[in-house]
Amino acid sequence: MAMEALRSLAALIDHFHETARWAGTLALLEWDERTGMPSGGAEQRAQQISDLSVLIHRRRVDRCVIDWLDELQEAESRGSLRDAIPAGSLSRIREDHEKAVRLPESLVGALAKATTMGQRSWGEAKERKDCTSFLPVLAEIVELKKEEADLRRVEGMSRYGALLDLFEEGADAEQLGKLFYRLQSYWSGKIDHLAEATKERPRRWSTVEVGIERQRALNHWIANHIGFDFQRGRLDETSHPFCTTLGPHDHRILTRYDRNDWTSGFYSTLHEAGHGIYEQGLATRWHGLPAGSATSLGIHESLSRFWENVIGRSEGFWRGVFPEMRDWLPPEFQSANPGDLALEVNRVEPSCIRVEADETTYNLHIALRMELESKLIEGSLRVEDLPAAWNEAYARYLGVTPAHDGEGVLQDIHWSAGLFGYFPTYALGNLIAAQWLEAMESSLGPMEKILEKQEFGLLVEWFRNHVFPKGRCLTSSQLVEEVTGKPIQPFAWNGYLEKKWAEPLKSFRG
Amino acid sequence: MAMEALRSLAALIDHFHETARWAGTLALLEWDERTGMPSGGAEQRAQQISDLSVLIHRRRVDRCVIDWLDELQEAESRGSLRDAIPAGSLSRIREDHEKAVRLPESLVGALAKATTMGQRSWGEAKERKDCTSFLPVLAEIVELKKEEADLRRVEGMSRYGALLDLFEEGADAEQLGKLFYRLQSYWSGKIDHLAEATKERPRRWSTVEVGIERQRALNHWIANHIGFDFQRGRLDETSHPFCTTLGPHDHRILTRYDRNDWTSGFYSTLHEAGHGIYEQGLATRWHGLPAGSATSLGIHESLSRFWENVIGRSEGFWRGVFPEMRDWLPPEFQSANPGDLALEVNRVEPSCIRVEADETTYNLHIALRMELESKLIEGSLRVEDLPAAWNEAYARYLGVTPAHDGEGVLQDIHWSAGLFGYFPTYALGNLIAAQWLEAMESSLGPMEKILEKQEFGLLVEWFRNHVFPKGRCLTSSQLVEEVTGKPIQPFAWNGYLEKKWAEPLKSFRG
């Protein structure tokens, strides 16, 4: 490679590494905001986040990036960059630049500020279980997001599609809507039946009171056990669990605790650890560049939902971990057996809360959110009518009605953070997780056997070999196709659930 | 005021407010580094701190600042800025700018990186109680600080004096050295006698084991009780307690816990809360400008040492708080009485550890550090010879020898953070704290009476009225002179200690 191209490439990579460091600082400002920043700090924090978002935006739209890319074009077309930077990186960087320049700095700053204050306002409203004070704040965020969507959308893309593209590049909003509708039709009749079967088995173990200190130790243990590296990460507490990356070797997962249901924090830890294991498995050398970034949110959720559900709710998992795990729980668990626990964490109960929903009803929570958020963004639903629309949708999709806004429209932080178009990635994650399972079993053998031996390292290694290396150099559908030989589709998921529910569904069909 | 001057002033103030927000972000990076950042994050964190230090430095040396000041000069000389910005602000800003431009960006970045990695290396070495691995890191920091000092020093200033000036503007290193020597001569003979008297009273209450959760609750309670506002702050844990400001309404204090000596965390909480109360009392409107900044480190330490010792070790304090405080401690404290506790926390024991030193021997720990650090900076002591020099100095000043480097040369974080010239401000703080006490009593009456009634609010109010309002628009000596009518001098301090030790010293003199 020519000296000049080498210099341009080094400059380009340095630029992205530095941008990633600023992004890591931004992530810390947000992490701190959600782990215990004094309430008095809110206003300044919003301003700090806005300042830094603008700085990062400036680096993303920096004309230098295009100049370097142009200087590299010839070398790339000759194929002489092949060993210097992973294939697909440069075209991704060019696309990202094209997308970023569409947004004016003023909008970036305004969005950062509005969503930081929005999350705080949401938190306060949720505490009060009343969304009145939050709605005008949300209305402002929706207006800004509409503005953003209008600037981002290209030919043939809906406003909502332009926001979905932020999390799942290349996904088609309309097709996704249809996919979710098919899933809903397929499962809605069966759900009633499974819920009936669940009612016959009252809760026994998840309701045993477990002290917070004990839960902390348990969750630390399980996250570490499945492969989350605490030399490069930590586990904290917050009101709405998440995972965030502060640097190539600093990944933080957050959970929450409920004295009266230890499984809630346990499963959100498994979920966030799944995200964390993904982030910790990305190529640190390319941190901040496409090859070192997560493919998409859908792929991210496929990892989190995989560990939370496909693994964490399987009987093999419980048979494997429980003999050891018992010692982290109160003494009465000595008389529990893995089979009972596996059954109990697989209750099918249409309910109001997404994050506590079972796997089978979960996608309905997503489909209804997608319906509502696309209407908000397209303008056919006003924010002031959202609470009523929420309750109506819950009755329609799941046959339940929230007792108050706290377990209704205020349950999720996403919209207050400006995350419209994010929810569908959870359901996509479910489908993809089942596709990973299928592919894994065909090369590693039956999962139950692996889990009984607690060989979690095998699974992490499989992901490291197949899913993590390409980063964002592929889209999610390209990656899934490459790894599983099939496009993203619901068959593996339906098969996975049907296998799980073979017994109760037999009587349903018969 | 002319429209143009008004615009320049607004631009100047905005510029400083934004710089303060970046400084707050930097403080968060450091706070996080010291409260539980995963070890893997160290390298990136050092780079982030360096990036941000350079950004802040660029804002500090920005030529705009001088242009605005020049545009304001006429309005200021006509006196028409009198109501717009506190007197002295603009000249302070000009001086700061002149000092900042002397440092090249490369040195600022290198220092930030070296000291961030330095603190980590120090932490690891301290853990191992062996300074071998830390010495080369420290040597690099010393070289950079020498370079900084050479750039900063003006006519008639020693290298060490140039560093001292960073923390205590206007202080004279040589005079300060003499002052400490006088103090040492005055107290060294008496100390042996007081230590003898101490030996007759074995510890009884400080050695009672108190669980960490209980200590946390106790310390939260006492910090809040004396006036630290938890709406605008928080209390966390770290290995070397400190206080940091993240914004005008976000002040964080950090302490550490020892199961076997609850008074250690208790007094470091009082100390840091004293710093926090000062920061929380500064003019938020002028946050990041001289009028909203602490006068000097000496004044800062006068606040922390005031609450820790003058208040926290007085009998009146214990008589006031103990009846309530008893309930935060284990049951056996029901039989304790305030007088015994006051006596126990006033033991005089020459020891190896500065932060655990009693008030009377404390200044010796400072004098010896000042001796060593000024030699390091002036070049008459090599870093490799420091551990031996440290032990020799401890034997000479205090008659004790550290068992290992952990309680010897590694006990303080300061040098690893590049803080040379900081230590003398602790002893200055002691002297000034006694001067505050004298001034307070002459307007509020005997302190013992106030403390017995737990009227801490009166003291905070006195500080808010007299000490906090001027910020950095005065130097520490100007402020002390203005508030107490006297320069910074050792008489109030000697009088304060002599009153405390009247009984045991009587027999000594006789």
Side-chain angles (χ1 to χ4, degrees):
Chain A
M1 186 171 23
M3 205 51 201
E4 207 171 302
L6 210 62
R7 259 203 303 270
S8 298
L9 186 63
L12 181 82
I13 291 171
D14 270 358
H15 181 84
F16 277 86
H17 281 164
E18 188 185 331
T19 305
R21 290 200 297 273
W22 291 112
T25 300
L26 180 61
L28 174 63
L29 287 168
E30 290 165 343
W31 175 86
D32 180 70
E33 221 255 325
R34 288 169 64 183
T35 49
M37 181 189 73
S39 57
E43 209 171 314
Q44 150 120 350
R45 183 54 50 90
Q47 189 64 54
Q48 286 171 311
I49 288 174
S50 167
D51 292 340
L52 194 43
S53 300
V54 167
L55 183 150
I56 291 168
H57 181 69
R58 280 187 195 161
R59 297 186 60 85
R60 292 212 170 115
V61 301
D62 196 325
R63 175 71 216 176
C64 281
V65 174
I66 293 299
D67 294 341
W68 289 318
L69 289 176
D70 289 347
E71 283 155 26
L72 287 166
Q73 208 148 31
E74 203 199 302
E76 200 191 14
S77 63
R78 274 201 322 273
S80 58
L81 296 183
R82 211 173 293 140
D83 301 326
I85 187 165
S89 296
L90 299 186
S91 57
R92 257 308 155 92
I93 290 174
R94 195 178 284 274
E95 284 163 31
D96 288 345
H97 191 275
E98 279 163 9
K99 284 179 183 177
V101 292
R102 294 202 199 109
L103 294 197
E105 218 170 75
S106 56
L107 180 61
V108 172
L111 264 167
K113 228 152 105 181
T115 54
T116 308
M117 293 308 277
Q119 289 173 67
R120 188 151 281 264
S121 165
W122 164 80
E124 288 160 1
K126 191 175 179 186
E127 194 105 333
R128 284 195 302 269
K129 304 174 180 178
D130 174 2
C131 69
T132 320
S133 62
F134 173 59
L135 290 183
V137 181
L138 179 61
E140 192 200 328
I141 294 171
V142 168
E143 284 314 305
L144 290 167
K145 292 302 285 185
K146 281 182 186 172
E147 203 181 316
E148 179 183 354
D150 282 330
L151 292 162
R152 284 190 181 277
R153 64 204 278 209
V154 292
E155 187 75 30
M157 211 182 231
S158 66
R159 247 194 208 156
Y160 180 68
L163 297 184
L164 177 64
D165 183 73
L166 283 168
F167 305 108
E168 203 64 28
E169 281 166 292
D172 180 305
E174 207 181 322
Q175 282 193 345
L176 211 56
K178 282 182 192 155
L179 173 67
F180 291 165
Y181 185 77
R182 284 212 313 277
L183 268 179
Q184 183 190 344
S185 319
Y186 190 86
W187 283 99
S188 60
K190 302 181 179 72
I191 282 169
D192 293 344
H193 191 72
L194 293 167
E196 277 306 311
T198 291
K199 274 192 196 141
E200 289 162 19
R201 295 178 278 114
R203 288 179 193 274
R204 164 73 184 90
W205 295 108
S206 57
T207 48
V208 172
E209 185 173 330
V210 181
I212 306 299
E213 271 307 326
R214 207 186 264 272
Q215 291 192 42
R216 276 192 197 114
L218 166 70
N219 287 342
H220 192 283
W221 170 77
I222 193 69
N224 185 56
H225 194 35
I226 66 168
F228 182 77
D229 178 359
F230 279 92
Q231 296 291 309
R232 298 172 59 209
R234 48 184 281 175
L235 171 62
D236 295 278
E237 287 145 54
T238 189
S239 66
H240 197 100
F242 64 106
C243 169
T244 184
T245 281
L246 274 69
H249 301 285
D250 187 351
H251 307 278
R252 308 203 178 173
I253 56 177
L254 299 99
T255 190
R256 62 180 171 197
Y257 294 109
D258 180 346
R259 278 190 169 283
N260 301 309
D261 183 0
W262 61 275
T263 64
S264 162
F266 182 78
Y267 280 104
S268 82
T269 300
L270 281 180
H271 180 100
E272 302 307 336
H275 284 303
I277 288 169
Y278 185 14
E279 289 285 318
Q280 290 186 333
L282 292 167
T284 55
R285 188 181 161 202
W286 302 113
H287 182 72
L289 285 107
S293 306
T295 307
S296 75
L297 261 289
I299 299 298
H300 236 305
E301 294 300 332
S302 80
L303 264 296
S304 56
R305 306 281 299 166
F306 179 84
W307 288 104
E308 177 190 358
N309 296 326
V310 175
I311 300 306
R313 295 187 202 270
S314 71
E315 212 180 312
F317 171 80
W318 283 98
R319 273 206 299 273
V321 301
F322 194 65
E324 206 172 321
M325 182 169 159
R326 223 193 301 252
D327 297 337
W328 296 92
L329 289 163
E332 54 226 277
F333 280 85
Q334 296 300 332
S335 67
N337 76 67
D340 291 346
L341 276 152
L343 216 62
E344 184 154 340
V345 298
N346 275 296
R347 300 171 63 80
V348 177
E349 289 169 314
S351 77
C352 290
I353 308 283
R354 175 183 63 84
V355 294
E356 286 161 13
D358 57 273
E359 286 175 284
T360 318
T361 58
Y362 187 91
N363 292 336
L364 301 183
H365 293 260
I366 297 307
L368 78 83
R369 279 164 179 72
M370 186 176 172
E371 177 191 320
L372 294 175
E373 70 178 8
S374 67
K375 282 182 180 167
L376 281 174
I377 295 298
E378 298 298 350
S380 59
L381 173 65
R382 291 180 310 174
V383 169
E384 62 201 87
D385 300 327
L386 176 64
W390 180 280
N391 292 349
E392 182 277 322
Y394 259 86
R396 178 158 44 91
Y397 277 82
L398 285 143
V400 295
T401 304
H404 52 72
D405 294 340
E407 62 171 53
V409 69
L410 289 173
Q411 71 184 262
D412 292 311
I413 200 173
H414 301 62
W415 293 338
S416 76
L419 302 173
F420 292 87
Y422 186 118
F423 283 120
T425 68
Y426 290 111
L428 270 179
N430 284 338
L431 306 192
I432 299 168
Q435 294 185 268
W436 298 147
L437 174 66
E438 206 173 67
M440 248 177 215
E441 289 197 309
S442 78
S443 80
L444 303 176
M447 184 57 71
E448 295 291 300
K449 295 263 176 280
I450 297 171
L451 296 179
E452 278 166 20
K453 289 186 272 176
Q454 301 188 69
E455 293 177 330
F456 301 120
L458 280 183
L459 312 186
V460 174
E461 202 192 324
W462 186 89
F463 281 118
R464 279 184 194 265
N465 290 334
H466 298 90
V467 175
F468 301 168
K470 298 290 172 69
R472 273 184 72 231
C473 294
L474 296 179
T475 64
S476 54
S477 42
Q478 287 168 337
L479 177 69
V480 172
E481 188 118 23
E482 191 178 291
V483 176
T484 69
K486 290 170 194 157
I488 299 173
Q489 52 188 20
F491 308 119
W493 170 253
N494 287 342
Y496 158 75
L497 275 192
E498 272 161 1
K499 187 174 158 203
K500 181 173 269 192
W501 298 128
E503 273 309 311
L505 285 181
K506 218 185 288 166
S507 59
F508 171 63
R509 268 171 198 145
Chain B
M1 187 173 17
M3 206 50 202
E4 207 171 302
L6 211 61
R7 261 201 303 270
S8 299
L9 186 63
L12 181 82
I13 292 171
D14 269 359
H15 181 85
F16 278 86
H17 281 162
E18 190 185 330
T19 305
R21 289 199 299 273
W22 291 113
T25 301
L26 180 61
L28 174 62
L29 287 167
E30 290 164 343
W31 175 87
D32 179 70
E33 221 255 326
R34 288 168 64 183
T35 48
M37 182 188 72
S39 57
E43 207 171 315
Q44 150 120 349
R45 182 54 49 89
Q47 190 62 55
Q48 286 171 311
I49 287 174
S50 167
D51 292 341
L52 195 43
S53 300
V54 168
L55 183 149
I56 290 169
H57 180 69
R58 280 187 195 161
R59 297 185 60 86
R60 290 212 172 116
V61 301
D62 195 327
R63 174 73 216 175
C64 280
V65 173
I66 293 299
D67 294 342
W68 289 317
L69 289 175
D70 289 346
E71 281 155 27
L72 286 165
Q73 207 148 33
E74 202 199 303
E76 200 190 16
S77 64
R78 275 203 322 272
S80 57
L81 295 182
R82 210 172 295 140
D83 300 327
I85 187 164
S89 297
L90 299 186
S91 56
R92 257 307 155 93
I93 290 173
R94 194 178 284 274
E95 284 164 31
D96 289 343
H97 191 276
E98 279 163 9
K99 286 180 182 175
V101 292
R102 292 201 200 110
L103 294 197
E105 218 170 77
S106 55
L107 181 61
V108 172
L111 264 167
K113 228 151 104 181
T115 54
T116 308
M117 293 309 278
Q119 288 171 68
R120 187 152 283 265
S121 165
W122 163 79
E124 288 160 2
K126 191 175 179 187
E127 194 103 334
R128 285 194 301 267
K129 303 174 180 179
D130 174 1
C131 70
T132 319
S133 61
F134 173 60
L135 290 183
V137 181
L138 179 62
E140 191 201 329
I141 294 171
V142 168
E143 284 315 305
L144 290 168
K145 292 303 286 185
K146 282 182 185 170
E147 202 182 317
E148 178 183 354
D150 280 331
L151 291 163
R152 285 189 182 278
R153 63 204 278 211
V154 293
E155 186 74 32
M157 211 182 231
S158 66
R159 248 196 208 154
Y160 181 68
L163 297 184
L164 178 65
D165 182 74
L166 283 167
F167 306 107
E168 204 63 28
E169 282 167 290
D172 181 303
E174 208 181 321
Q175 282 194 346
L176 212 55
K178 283 182 191 155
L179 173 67
F180 291 167
Y181 185 77
R182 286 214 311 278
L183 268 178
Q184 182 191 344
S185 323
Y186 190 86
W187 283 100
S188 59
K190 301 181 177 72
I191 282 169
D192 294 342
H193 191 72
L194 293 168
E196 277 306 312
T198 292
K199 274 192 196 140
E200 288 162 20
R201 295 177 278 114
R203 288 179 194 274
R204 164 73 184 87
W205 296 108
S206 57
T207 48
V208 172
E209 184 174 330
V210 180
I212 306 299
E213 272 305 327
R214 209 186 263 272
Q215 291 193 43
R216 277 191 196 114
L218 166 70
N219 286 343
H220 192 282
W221 170 77
I222 194 67
N224 184 56
H225 194 36
I226 66 169
F228 182 77
D229 178 359
F230 279 90
Q231 296 291 309
R232 298 172 60 208
R234 48 184 281 176
L235 171 62
D236 295 277
E237 286 146 53
T238 190
S239 65
H240 197 100
F242 65 106
C243 168
T244 183
T245 281
L246 274 69
H249 301 286
D250 187 350
H251 307 277
R252 307 201 178 175
I253 57 177
L254 299 96
T255 190
R256 63 180 170 195
Y257 295 109
D258 180 346
R259 278 193 168 281
N260 302 311
D261 183 359
W262 60 275
T263 64
S264 162
F266 182 77
Y267 279 103
S268 82
T269 301
L270 280 179
H271 179 100
E272 302 306 334
H275 284 303
I277 288 168
Y278 185 13
E279 289 285 317
Q280 290 187 333
L282 292 166
T284 55
R285 191 183 158 198
W286 302 112
H287 181 72
L289 286 108
S293 305
T295 307
S296 75
L297 262 290
I299 300 297
H300 236 306
E301 294 299 333
S302 80
L303 264 294
S304 56
R305 306 281 300 167
F306 179 84
W307 287 104
E308 178 189 357
N309 297 326
V310 177
I311 299 305
R313 296 188 202 268
S314 71
E315 211 181 314
F317 172 80
W318 283 98
R319 274 206 299 275
V321 301
F322 194 66
E324 208 171 320
M325 182 169 158
R326 222 194 299 254
D327 297 337
W328 296 92
L329 288 163
E332 53 225 277
F333 280 85
Q334 295 301 331
S335 67
N337 76 67
D340 290 346
L341 276 151
L343 217 62
E344 184 154 341
V345 298
N346 276 296
R347 298 171 66 81
V348 176
E349 288 169 313
S351 77
C352 291
I353 308 283
R354 175 184 62 84
V355 294
E356 284 161 14
D358 58 273
E359 287 174 286
T360 316
T361 59
Y362 187 92
N363 292 337
L364 300 183
H365 292 261
I366 297 307
L368 78 83
R369 280 164 178 72
M370 187 175 168
E371 178 191 320
L372 295 174
E373 68 179 9
S374 67
K375 283 183 180 166
L376 281 174
I377 295 298
E378 300 297 351
S380 59
L381 175 64
R382 290 181 309 174
V383 169
E384 61 201 89
D385 300 327
L386 176 64
W390 180 280
N391 292 350
E392 181 278 320
Y394 259 87
R396 177 159 42 92
Y397 277 82
L398 284 142
V400 295
T401 304
H404 52 73
D405 295 340
E407 62 172 55
V409 68
L410 289 173
Q411 72 185 263
D412 291 310
I413 197 172
H414 301 63
W415 293 338
S416 76
L419 301 174
F420 292 87
Y422 186 118
F423 283 120
T425 68
Y426 290 111
L428 270 180
N430 283 339
L431 307 191
I432 299 168
Q435 292 186 269
W436 298 146
L437 174 66
E438 205 173 69
M440 249 177 216
E441 288 196 309
S442 79
S443 80
L444 303 176
M447 185 57 72
E448 295 291 302
K449 294 264 176 281
I450 297 171
L451 296 179
E452 279 167 18
K453 289 186 273 176
Q454 301 187 68
E455 292 177 330
F456 301 119
L458 280 181
L459 312 185
V460 174
E461 201 192 325
W462 185 90
F463 280 117
R464 278 183 195 267
N465 290 333
H466 298 91
V467 175
F468 301 168
K470 298 290 172 69
R472 274 184 70 231
C473 294
L474 295 179
T475 64
S476 56
S477 43
Q478 287 168 334
L479 178 69
V480 172
E481 186 117 24
E482 192 180 290
V483 176
T484 70
K486 290 170 194 159
I488 299 173
Q489 54 186 20
F491 308 120
W493 170 253
N494 287 342
Y496 157 76
L497 275 191
E498 273 163 1
K499 188 173 158 202
K500 181 172 266 190
W501 298 127
E503 274 310 311
L505 286 181
K506 217 185 291 168
S507 58
F508 172 65
R509 270 169 197 147

